[in-house]
Amino acid sequence: MLICAKRFYNALEIISMFSFAKQMMLRKFGVFKGFTPLRSGEGELKQASELLKILEDKALGGIKVERKKSENVVWHAGKVKKEDRERFLGQKGVILWFTGLSGSGKSTIAHELEERLLKMGKLSYVLDGDNIRHGLNGDLGFSPEDREENIRRIGEVAKLFADLGIITMTAFISPYQKDRQRVRELVKDGEFIEIYVKCPIDELKNRDPKGMYEKAIKGEIKNFTGISAPYEEPENPELILNTDSESIDESVEKVIEYLRNKDII
Amino acid sequence: MLICAKRFYNALEIISMFSFAKQMMLRKFGVFKGFTPLRSGEGELKQASELLKILEDKALGGIKVERKKSENVVWHAGKVKKEDRERFLGQKGVILWFTGLSGSGKSTIAHELEERLLKMGKLSYVLDGDNIRHGLNGDLGFSPEDREENIRRIGEVAKLFADLGIITMTAFISPYQKDRQRVRELVKDGEFIEIYVKCPIDELKNRDPKGMYEKAIKGEIKNFTGISAPYEEPENPELILNTDSESIDESVEKVIEYLRNKDII
């Protein structure tokens, strides 16, 4: 019998552990005194840790408690580190960098994914025009220098969020390979996940729910990516989502599968 | 008997609920069939929610399940909101804005608090010179305009972190009342908590572990706050930490007490 130490136990796991420990204690000592009350206020981490200790101390020959390396309960001395927060959250802090033309579905997919992840008990956050352009980057326009500075700051903020242990999503057109590459180099290998949200421009021109492409074609909007300003396709993106042929759910599922395969969630 | 619905249950709570439900079911039905296995992979939230439903459905007259408003399990339609993340984390997203002279103890207290909070199962993050000056604000110098822009950006990033549900700490001298006030106005009432880390300048000159004050007095460092540049004391800070008379632990405890009193943790 192996019990693996995790940070949080779900209801069934704790009930199973409890039942098993009770049986074993009855068998071994002929008596079951129950667990000593666990101290409150120090969080579930402590609780789970103490429950395990009780199982180890009191319960039973025949149980070996194995602590999974990625989920163990040891604290570093000194400052709290990224790894500590990742253990606490039960996930890795990474940047999911969505890039693609206007209207391709970056923000929609990111927000859908955010909701799915939260329901799975994973914490994520979407940086997009809504919370960046009016705040941190409210002082920037759309000149080439300002666009570059825009992406630089978003990259730096995304790095901080990833350092916090968050699955950080950015949903910006980010048309230049060079700017995306610079963000990639800010973090460790594997922490920058470039997701190309790909949709043929003719399809986008047809959809055009906000009439943006029409205005851009007429010249009413200048420097519009894909019409009057270039979009440089990612050279080696970690993922491509083909939003002309996939449903939103399918795209979201592809990202979740990727995160699972890479042990990020 | 009241069972309050929370997001996470600690071991003892689940064991108690389980034992109680078992007793009640035995009493009521004369038989105990156990719980149906809970689905995995959807996170503890779902698990806790299902456990409660089972308790409500199967168990018992005599139990009323009350869902605490602040901890209930309902998801908003559409985008994930700050409140959803706060519920998930079991804490409020706020900004603890530490301000005070160089060497007063802002960063030390913040990092100590960060560690204490994580041990309590609360997620926090410290924005300070280490992760801001070399990254996001690496393009800024120490001119008056750049100092103002420095604090503006830190405020905007802290707002994003608070929106994520994090207890966000900033540890910067931030000498000007006007700049701090501007950050206060970025967020809702109660979300900006100004903490004045107060230590008499003579004490700081005496300590001076890095020899910074000596250099500033000799004129080797220009625009040094408290010597050759002004420090505007907070007018109505939420908290004052007197680091000449309090230990670090005492200061940390004062902040924790404040957070508890305000139901932030």
Side-chain angles (χ1 to χ4, degrees):
Chain A
M1 174 84 185
L2 271 181
I3 295 181
C4 290
K6 296 200 304 184
R7 200 167 46 77
F8 290 116
Y9 293 86
N10 67 41
L12 188 68
E13 286 168 340
I14 293 193
I15 290 165
S16 309
M17 281 164 65
F18 172 78
S19 306
F20 180 74
K22 186 171 171 177
Q23 279 172 34
M24 286 288 168
M25 286 169 89
L26 279 169
R27 196 179 300 166
K28 197 167 175 187
F29 305 111
V31 63
F32 174 68
K33 291 191 174 178
F35 296 115
T36 47
L38 303 178
R39 266 174 288 166
S40 69
E42 290 288 301
E44 289 78 5
L45 192 64
K46 188 70 175 292
Q47 306 277 2
S49 168
E50 291 201 9
L51 179 65
L52 273 171
K53 202 169 167 338
I54 291 163
L55 285 171
E56 284 176 300
D57 290 353
K58 294 207 184 164
L60 2 138
I63 286 192
K64 193 180 152 210
V65 176
E66 185 189 53
R67 289 168 193 269
K68 280 193 200 167
K69 210 172 184 184
S70 63
E71 290 171 329
N72 65 20
V73 189
V74 179
W75 296 99
H76 292 281
K79 285 188 189 178
V80 177
K81 292 187 175 63
K82 180 173 193 263
E83 293 73 29
D84 302 314
R85 291 183 286 261
E86 290 179 331
R87 260 195 298 272
F88 174 76
L89 289 166
Q91 64 185 43
K92 297 268 171 62
V94 295
I95 301 172
L96 304 185
W97 192 277
F98 291 89
T99 173
L101 293 169
S102 177
S104 58
K106 300 179 295 299
S107 200
T108 306
I109 292 169
H111 281 289
E112 192 65 30
L113 181 59
E114 180 187 26
E115 199 181 335
R116 279 285 304 278
L117 287 171
L118 190 54
K119 286 182 179 169
M120 295 165 69
K122 306 298 171 187
L123 194 59
S124 67
Y125 195 75
V126 182
L127 300 170
D128 62 10
D130 284 350
N131 53 24
I132 290 290
R133 266 285 175 192
H134 302 295
L136 179 67
N137 292 357
D139 58 327
L140 300 175
F142 291 88
S143 71
E145 299 77 32
D146 278 9
R147 279 177 185 257
E148 187 181 327
E149 173 66 4
N150 181 45
I151 297 299
R152 186 193 73 81
R153 289 190 202 165
I154 291 162
E156 292 287 357
V157 172
K159 183 186 174 179
L160 291 170
F161 273 78
D163 185 53
L164 174 58
I166 302 305
I167 298 161
T168 314
M169 295 179 262
T170 63
F172 298 89
I173 299 173
S174 49
Y176 301 116
Q177 178 67 24
K178 172 175 63 77
D179 295 345
R180 297 189 302 259
Q181 181 60 28
R182 202 176 292 146
V183 179
R184 185 184 287 270
E185 286 164 11
L186 285 178
V187 292
K188 286 186 192 156
D189 277 359
E191 290 185 359
F192 181 87
I193 297 152
E194 194 171 12
I195 302 176
Y196 179 19
V197 184
K198 192 174 179 179
C199 187
I201 193 145
D202 288 339
E203 171 75 16
L204 295 171
K205 283 184 204 165
N206 281 336
R207 289 188 200 166
D208 202 18
K210 293 179 194 165
M212 302 276 274
Y213 281 92
E214 203 189 327
K215 282 185 189 169
I217 292 164
K218 285 184 186 163
E220 290 169 21
I221 306 175
K222 283 181 183 169
N223 293 319
F224 193 85
T225 302
I227 303 294
S228 44
Y231 178 78
E232 298 172 6
E233 292 200 324
E235 286 166 15
N236 288 301
E238 274 73 8
L239 268 175
I240 298 178
L241 307 176
N242 295 294
T243 51
D244 57 330
S245 58
E246 296 166 18
S247 70
I248 293 171
D249 276 352
E250 283 167 342
S251 294
V252 167
E253 197 50 53
K254 271 168 82 171
V255 183
I256 289 177
E257 206 184 304
Y258 182 89
L259 297 175
R260 282 203 179 114
N261 287 340
K262 296 288 180 186
D263 282 328
I264 289 161
I265 56 173
Chain B
M1 173 84 186
L2 271 181
I3 296 181
C4 291
K6 296 199 304 184
R7 201 170 43 78
F8 290 117
Y9 293 86
N10 66 43
L12 188 68
E13 286 168 340
I14 293 193
I15 290 165
S16 309
M17 282 164 65
F18 172 78
S19 304
F20 180 75
K22 186 172 174 178
Q23 279 170 37
M24 286 289 167
M25 286 169 89
L26 279 170
R27 197 180 299 166
K28 197 167 172 188
F29 306 109
V31 63
F32 174 69
K33 291 191 175 180
F35 296 113
T36 48
L38 303 178
R39 265 176 288 165
S40 68
E42 290 290 299
E44 289 79 5
L45 192 66
K46 188 71 175 293
Q47 304 278 1
S49 168
E50 292 202 6
L51 181 65
L52 274 170
K53 200 166 169 341
I54 291 163
L55 285 171
E56 284 174 303
D57 289 354
K58 295 209 182 162
L60 1 139
I63 286 194
K64 191 182 151 211
V65 176
E66 185 189 53
R67 290 169 192 269
K68 280 192 201 168
K69 210 171 183 184
S70 64
E71 291 173 327
N72 67 21
V73 189
V74 179
W75 295 101
H76 292 280
K79 284 186 188 179
V80 177
K81 291 188 174 60
K82 180 173 192 266
E83 293 72 31
D84 301 314
R85 291 183 286 261
E86 289 178 332
R87 261 195 297 272
F88 173 76
L89 290 166
Q91 64 186 41
K92 298 267 171 63
V94 295
I95 301 172
L96 305 183
W97 191 277
F98 292 89
T99 173
L101 294 168
S102 177
S104 59
K106 299 179 296 299
S107 199
T108 307
I109 291 168
H111 281 288
E112 192 65 29
L113 181 58
E114 180 188 24
E115 198 179 334
R116 280 286 304 279
L117 287 170
L118 189 54
K119 285 182 180 170
M120 295 164 69
K122 306 297 173 189
L123 194 59
S124 67
Y125 196 73
V126 182
L127 299 170
D128 62 10
D130 284 350
N131 52 24
I132 291 290
R133 266 287 176 191
H134 302 294
L136 179 65
N137 292 357
D139 57 327
L140 300 174
F142 291 88
S143 71
E145 299 77 33
D146 278 7
R147 277 176 186 258
E148 189 181 326
E149 173 66 5
N150 181 46
I151 297 299
R152 186 192 73 81
R153 289 191 202 165
I154 291 161
E156 292 287 358
V157 172
K159 182 184 174 181
L160 291 170
F161 272 78
D163 184 53
L164 174 58
I166 302 304
I167 298 161
T168 315
M169 297 180 261
T170 63
F172 298 90
I173 298 172
S174 50
Y176 300 116
Q177 178 67 27
K178 175 175 60 77
D179 296 344
R180 297 189 303 259
Q181 182 60 28
R182 202 175 294 146
V183 179
R184 184 185 288 271
E185 287 164 11
L186 285 180
V187 292
K188 286 188 191 154
D189 277 359
E191 290 185 358
F192 181 87
I193 297 151
E194 193 172 13
I195 302 176
Y196 181 19
V197 184
K198 192 175 181 179
C199 187
I201 193 148
D202 288 340
E203 172 75 14
L204 294 172
K205 284 184 203 162
N206 280 337
R207 289 186 200 167
D208 203 17
K210 294 180 195 164
M212 302 275 275
Y213 281 92
E214 203 189 327
K215 281 185 189 169
I217 290 164
K218 285 184 185 165
E220 292 169 20
I221 307 176
K222 283 179 183 171
N223 294 318
F224 193 84
T225 302
I227 303 295
S228 44
Y231 178 79
E232 298 172 8
E233 292 199 325
E235 284 165 16
N236 288 300
E238 275 72 8
L239 269 175
I240 299 178
L241 308 175
N242 295 293
T243 50
D244 58 329
S245 58
E246 297 166 16
S247 70
I248 292 171
D249 276 353
E250 283 166 344
S251 294
V252 167
E253 197 50 53
K254 272 168 81 172
V255 183
I256 289 176
E257 207 184 302
Y258 182 90
L259 296 176
R260 282 202 180 115
N261 287 340
K262 297 288 178 184
D263 283 329
I264 290 162
I265 56 173

